Amino acid sequence: MVKKILLGLLFTVFPCAPAAADDTPWWPHFLGPRRDGTSPEKNINTDWKQTPPKVLWKIPLGEGFSSFAVVGERAYTMTKRGDKLIVLCLDAKTGKEVWSHDVAPNYIDKQKQGAGPRATPTYHDGKLYCLMPMGEFVCLAAANGERLWTANVFNDTGAKNRVGEQFYWGVALSPLIEGDLVIVQPGGDKDNSVAAFYKNTGKLAWAAGSDPMCYGSPQAITVAGQRQLIVPTASSVLGIEPTTGKILWRYVIGDKAYTICSTPLWFDNQLWFSAAYNAGCGVLDISNQGGTWTVKEKWKNKNGLLTLYSNAMIVDGHAYGCHGDLSAWMLKCVDLKTGQVKWDERLDQRQWLLAVDGHMLCWGEKGSLKLLKMDPKGNVQKGEMPKLLVPKAWAAPVLANGRLYLRDQANALCIDLRKP
């Protein structure tokens, strides 16, 4: 009780709290506090039949595929307003706008699937790191939206801007803070595929690699006592030393469609990867032998669990995720020891998953929400909230302080998932 009171006072006086630890009920960046799509929260309502969750607020938000970063009682996202792309701060309890900041001109992809930003803001130590579809990169003060620095991931690294060509979806990765650096992937072919900017100044620290850009976001892990950046590209996964940019290892995935969107996940000293369009999924062992880093396949399954725009969730030795690209979508469970598919179930729409306290929140692209029990023996549905929003609801769901934040191409809403 004392801890809750102190946290409440902290956010009353300082709406922008320090960077969140892994066990806090905040969601400071893409895929949550552990950057793996799982929530550490426990006091969640999982009895939807007895006590159906309530919608706390619903607001017009505008177009965009950005998810939310939620810290304290502030929710940050990005959207289209008029002909501008903006960063927006909302009161997390009410949905009321606190501040907004114009960042870049509007963007719409070549397929005309949707306008607006693609990435999710990254919160760290009172600042927001925001990346726009054409490479515009800004750092804002989370308290009031003041612009602290401006960069461009293409101009500053010399990487060719291929947005509108093969990478017509635009820059969609979400920045990663690691030490004094913020990591992004411009996808250049002259040792400028991955780039690190100083988080306090926006100046380029280093650039490395020559792989094409992808839509997946970077991760940071510790292997054999050493920090590494785990960076997906359009054709591989890279292991990079964070302070110097030295490439430690490279594993070729082979997605010929250049559509990798998933973030690799670190579990039990192994690395999970997954991608659609016949790239497959697998588990990698990463080791250091005499100062040389090596990466080996523990197993690979080209048809096991092929994730498209959403990530798999890893819980208790199993990966759960939405399988499929253009059609025939399935919810699957894969044994991480063997690569065997334990069960699958046909879906009528693609889904994002969020793992919390032994359950899965399944957020469908048509705007429906389901609650499932995570069980490698079979799918157990425990509740459903249909037609909350409308297609295309492609932004990742966010759970913070017992509240679930969702959006589509027009609106955002917040659902109370706290136990009554």
Side-chain angles (χ1 to χ4, degrees), residues 117-377:
R118 272 73 173 134
T120 296
T122 295
Y123 175 98
H124 178 79
D125 198 19
K127 298 173 183 175
L128 294 175
Y129 299 84
C130 308
L131 188 55
M132 294 295 171
M134 289 295 286
E136 304 96 340
F137 192 21
V138 300
C139 177
L140 307 179
N144 56 16
E146 176 189 359
R147 188 179 297 217
L148 303 177
W149 54 254
T150 301
N152 187 290
V153 301
F154 299 118
N155 297 343
D156 294 353
T157 63
K160 182 180 179 181
N161 184 348
R162 298 179 64 190
V163 174
E165 298 177 8
Q166 188 162 16
F167 298 96
Y168 50 77
W169 279 106
V171 178
L173 67 103
S174 297
L176 168 71
I177 299 293
E178 175 64 17
D180 292 329
L181 304 175
V182 53
I183 312 300
V184 292
Q185 297 128 269
D189 59 2
K190 295 181 175 63
D191 291 324
N192 50 5
S193 175
V194 182
F197 292 79
Y198 289 108
K199 67 182 183 183
N200 291 327
T201 66
K203 301 299 183 182
L204 184 66
W206 54 256
S210 299
D211 282 6
M213 180 179 74
C214 77
Y215 307 112
S217 298
Q219 177 70 282
I221 64 174
T222 300
V223 187
Q226 179 174 332
R227 291 292 281 176
Q228 291 188 20
L229 303 175
I230 303 298
V231 185
T233 74
S235 54
S236 70
V237 179
L238 301 175
I240 301 178
E241 200 285 319
T243 58
T244 64
K246 178 183 177 180
I247 296 179
L248 304 176
W249 54 266
R250 180 176 183 265
Y251 173 79
V252 177
I253 292 180
D255 174 15
K256 296 181 179 179
Y258 285 1
T259 55
I260 292 174
C261 301
S262 295
T263 296
L265 301 177
W266 185 245
F267 74 100
D268 297 337
N269 291 315
Q270 300 167 101
L271 190 69
W272 157 272
F273 72 90
S274 176
Y277 298 105
N278 298 317
C281 64
V283 169
L284 306 177
D285 283 321
I286 303 169
S287 61
N288 188 323
Q289 301 173 350
T292 299
W293 288 93
T294 61
V295 56
K296 296 181 180 179
E297 290 179 5
K298 182 177 181 181
W299 58 261
K300 183 176 181 179
N301 188 336
K302 295 208 69 170
N303 298 305
L305 176 50
L306 281 63
T307 54
L308 185 58
Y309 70 81
S310 62
N311 252 66
M313 304 291 104
I314 292 181
V315 177
D316 295 333
H318 294 82
Y320 300 83
C322 179
H323 166 95
D325 34 59
L326 297 178
S327 61
W329 310 300
M330 294 183 179
L331 186 63
K332 286 190 176 185
C333 172
V334 174
D335 188 323
L336 290 174
K337 290 183 179 179
T338 64
Q340 176 188 0
V341 177
K342 303 287 289 193
W343 56 261
D344 57 48
E345 180 176 297
R346 190 70 178 263
L347 298 170
D348 65 348
Q349 57 189 292
R350 288 169 290 205
Q351 308 220 359
W352 266 104
L353 306 184
L354 190 157
V356 55
D357 197 18
H359 292 76
M360 285 190 294
L361 294 166
C362 302
W363 175 234
E365 63 179 330
K366 296 180 181 179
S368 295
L369 179 68
K370 293 182 180 180
L371 176 68
L372 306 181
K373 178 70 175 176
M374 294 186 108
D375 192 335
K377 296 179 181 178

Side-chain angles (χ1 to χ4, degrees), residues 93-104:
K93 291 189 293 185
T94 65
K96 292 182 179 179
E97 182 175 326
V98 178
W99 56 257
S100 65
H101 185 97
D102 292 354
V103 175

Side-chain angles (χ1 to χ4, degrees), residues 58-65 113-114 309 349-350 352 363-369 385-395 406-413 415:
K58 181 179 180 180
I59 61 167
L61 187 64
E63 293 179 89
F65 300 102
Q113 293 284 347
Y309 70 81
Q349 57 189 292
R350 288 169 290 205
W352 266 104
W363 175 234
E365 63 179 330
K366 296 180 181 179
S368 295
L369 179 68
M385 299 179 73
K387 299 181 180 179
L388 290 169
L389 293 172
V390 300
K392 307 178 178 78
W394 286 353
L406 306 169
R407 72 174 291 184
D408 59 15
Q409 285 285 289
N411 299 294
L413 61 78
I415 298 171

